[in-house]
Amino acid sequence: MKIILLGAGQVGASVAENLVSEANDITMVDTDADHLATLRDRLDLRTVCGNAASPSVLKEAGADDADLLIAVTQSDQTNLCACRIARTLFNLPTRIARLRSSDFVDHPELLSLDNFAVDFSICPEQIVTDYIRRLIEFPEALQVVDFADGALSLIAVRAFEGGPLVGHPIKALRYHMPNIEVRVSAIYRDGEPIIPEGDTFIKPGDEVFCLAASANIRRVMRELTHVDRPMRRIMIAGGGNIGLRLARAIEKDYEVKVLEYDKRRAEMIAIELNDTLVLRGDSTDENLLENENIDEMDMFVALTNDEEDNIMSASLAKRMGARRTLALINRKSYVDLVQGGHIDIAISPAQTSIGSLLAHVRRGDVVAVHSLRRGAAEALEIIAHGDEKNSKVVGRAIEDIRLPRGATIGAIVRMEGITEDSPGRPTVLMAHHDTVIEPEDHLIVFCTSKKLVRQVEKLFQVDFSFF
């Protein structure tokens, strides 16, 4: 695809890195010439220095024959204007905008073709907030992502010594949980992927990815890892966009404290929040943490704009007795370095939110994309179209589908009870070797490496006779 990417910040750079690796033709636009030069040296892309909402700049970037515009600058106004200009002057087919303000979500008519002409909008801050909220709900998990509008969940957990299934083969799952269907999609041991078979043994320290109906997730986790008592007390370091969104989302269900260094910001969020205690202070201040009983906190979440502060404060909180710690870290190399030590979970906001963008770039009818293991792996929800004549998937048993090695079909979501008046209800089916794929099934495909994604997309594309 020929893609114009507006904004070379953390989100833009992460998107560029993912898309360039998939042989797309990328042109990046930003006002910072030095930063563009750095990215151009590192990635195979073209750059244009200028205002992303300028018609002449968009023309220079190739808007006349581009397939996709992704506007992810820091300014909502710039992103919206760029989409409108791309539609009006260049008739650019698909336009995606990053919108940080919730005002536009509350008034979707503003994004219609007659107004700002935005086909899809994303809010990385809200995506990260929802992601952290799920980790608070399932504190033992390393990652929790949903498919099929929440009917199905994929969780990653660290297997621990003494877990009921640890030291046993995967096929023992059916005896431990005879009434629950679960699929182990992948195992990572010492950082290397293992394709799970029935006779594969789970060892302590393995990173295990499991698919199950969302209602059964807790039961599955008990088989693999130590299930702690539920979270009750949460301390959030940083009252920025994500910190405020998270506090607002969880304050009714948990006892929440927010630490914010800036006086004006602290006063503002204290007014915004109803059941949260807002404290002004430095999250790396040992005395402050001690006075606020950090040793009684179930989770310490470091969400400031300074990743070094997040690493320091989360490490300090863990050393002082916080039960679990999470830190927001922009640099991917830092994430791999610190996770698993004093910091239980390290999150890269760009990697967490990129799946929403990738779903619109993937070939085939892809409903959802989740970036896993800090971008190394991917899970896709993809719809099987066509019939036996024009599809390589529909009408075939899973064992007959020629998936590339390292890609597995973990589950199928099939809509049942469809009528003229009802869209039907989703039924979750775990994938077995003899399961036959039906038209319009939603398949959850796990790829242990991003390099496999292109082959999976090609497999799901229908022949021209379908059209």
Side-chain angles (χ1 to χ4, degrees), residues 18 38 50 65 150 181 213 234 268 272 332 349 360-361 410 426 441 467:
N18 277 270
T38 302
D65 59 349
E181 280 222 281
I234 313 290
M268 187 276 283
E272 290 261 337
K332 203 166 91 172
H360 303 300
V361 181
D441 277 353
F467 301 100

Side-chain angles (χ1 to χ4, degrees), residues 232-236 246-247 250-252 254-258 275-278:
R232 198 157 61 90
R233 299 185 183 93
I234 313 290
M235 183 178 284
I236 301 170
L246 180 63
I250 67 173
E251 64 177 352
K252 285 184 170 60
Y254 304 91
E255 295 176 25
V256 182
K257 291 182 180 180
V258 175
D275 301 308
T276 298
L277 177 61
V278 179

Side-chain angles (χ1 to χ4, degrees), residues 92-108:
L92 204 151
T94 307
R95 302 156 305 278
I96 301 174
R98 171 192 186 179
L99 299 174
R100 306 177 80 182
S101 171
S102 59
D103 291 346
F104 298 104
V105 178
D106 297 336
H107 300 283

Side-chain angles (χ1 to χ4, degrees), residues 117-350:
V118 176
D119 292 307
F120 308 102
S121 65
I122 64 158
C123 177
E125 291 84 359
Q126 188 58 49
I127 294 168
V128 173
T129 300
D130 294 339
Y131 184 83
I132 296 171
R133 186 178 182 181
R134 291 286 277 163
L135 289 171
I136 292 173
E137 188 180 349
F138 299 99
E140 307 83 7
L142 299 171
Q143 195 163 4
V144 185
V145 295
D146 294 332
F147 294 99
D149 296 324
L152 187 72
S153 292
L154 175 70
I155 58 162
V157 295
R158 183 82 61 193
F160 84 108
E161 187 79 55
L165 258 181
V166 178
H168 299 280
I170 289 173
K171 62 185 178 184
L173 266 170
R174 72 181 71 149
Y175 306 114
H176 284 255
M177 297 181 292
N179 301 318
I180 295 176
E181 280 222 281
V182 60
R183 176 70 184 266
V184 176
S185 300
I187 297 172
Y188 285 83
R189 185 171 296 156
D190 299 323
E192 294 297 319
I194 295 172
I195 306 301
E197 309 278 349
D199 295 324
T200 304
F201 276 71
I202 297 172
K203 296 183 178 180
D206 282 354
E207 191 175 335
V208 184
F209 284 84
C210 292
L211 269 169
S214 297
N216 299 327
I217 285 296
R218 289 196 189 280
R219 177 78 190 278
V220 174
M221 290 176 72
R222 284 194 205 104
E223 295 295 320
L224 295 166
T225 191
H226 175 66
V227 178
D228 288 329
R229 66 182 186 277
M231 294 279 163
R232 198 157 61 90
R233 299 185 183 93
I234 313 290
M235 183 178 284
I236 301 170
N241 283 333
I242 296 175
L244 175 59
R245 286 173 186 265
L246 180 63
R248 190 185 288 136
I250 67 173
E251 64 177 352
K252 285 184 170 60
D253 302 314
Y254 304 91
E255 295 176 25
V256 182
K257 291 182 180 180
V258 175
L259 302 181
E260 171 55 47
Y261 185 75
D262 183 85
K263 182 182 178 183
R264 287 187 179 178
R265 181 70 182 177
E267 290 171 349
M268 187 276 283
I269 62 175
I271 295 169
E272 290 261 337
L273 299 169
N274 299 316
D275 301 308
T276 298
L277 177 61
V278 179
L279 302 160
R280 181 175 172 250
D282 186 348
S283 58
T284 60
D285 184 341
E286 193 169 352
N287 292 328
L288 175 62
L289 294 179
E290 187 176 2
N291 291 338
E292 293 305 322
N293 304 314
I294 188 65
D295 58 326
E296 296 179 2
M297 292 296 151
D298 294 309
M299 182 173 269
F300 179 89
V301 186
L303 304 175
T304 74
N305 293 324
D306 188 315
E307 60 189 351
E308 281 85 4
D309 272 2
N310 291 341
I311 293 170
M312 291 297 295
S313 61
S315 300
L316 182 61
K318 188 71 171 183
R319 184 172 65 79
M320 295 179 70
R323 185 172 129 208
R324 201 152 173 82
T325 57
L326 180 151
L328 202 65
I329 302 172
N330 292 315
R331 272 179 267 198
K332 203 166 91 172
S333 56
Y334 280 19
V335 173
D336 295 330
L337 188 66
V338 302
Q339 179 161 302
H342 286 306
I343 297 173
D344 295 300
I345 302 173
I347 292 177
S348 164

Side-chain angles (χ1 to χ4, degrees), residues 386-433:
D387 55 32
E388 290 183 48
K389 296 178 182 177
N390 49 43
S391 169
K392 302 182 186 74
V393 175
V394 174
R396 290 167 172 77
I398 286 177
E399 63 184 356
D400 297 326
I401 298 173
R402 300 180 66 180
L403 285 164
R405 181 165 178 76
T408 56
I409 297 173
I412 299 163
V413 180
R414 185 168 291 163
M415 301 303 294
E416 296 187 346
I418 299 175
T419 64
E420 289 184 6
D421 302 321
S422 170
R425 63 186 183 281
T427 300
V428 176
L429 307 171
M430 287 302 132
H432 299 287
H433 68 95

Side-chain angles (χ1 to χ4, degrees), residues 33-49:
D34 292 338
H35 190 42
L36 286 175
T38 302
L39 287 171
R40 191 171 58 244
D41 291 341
R42 188 164 60 89
L43 303 171
D44 180 20
L45 50 75
R46 195 174 149 255
T47 61
V48 174
C49 186

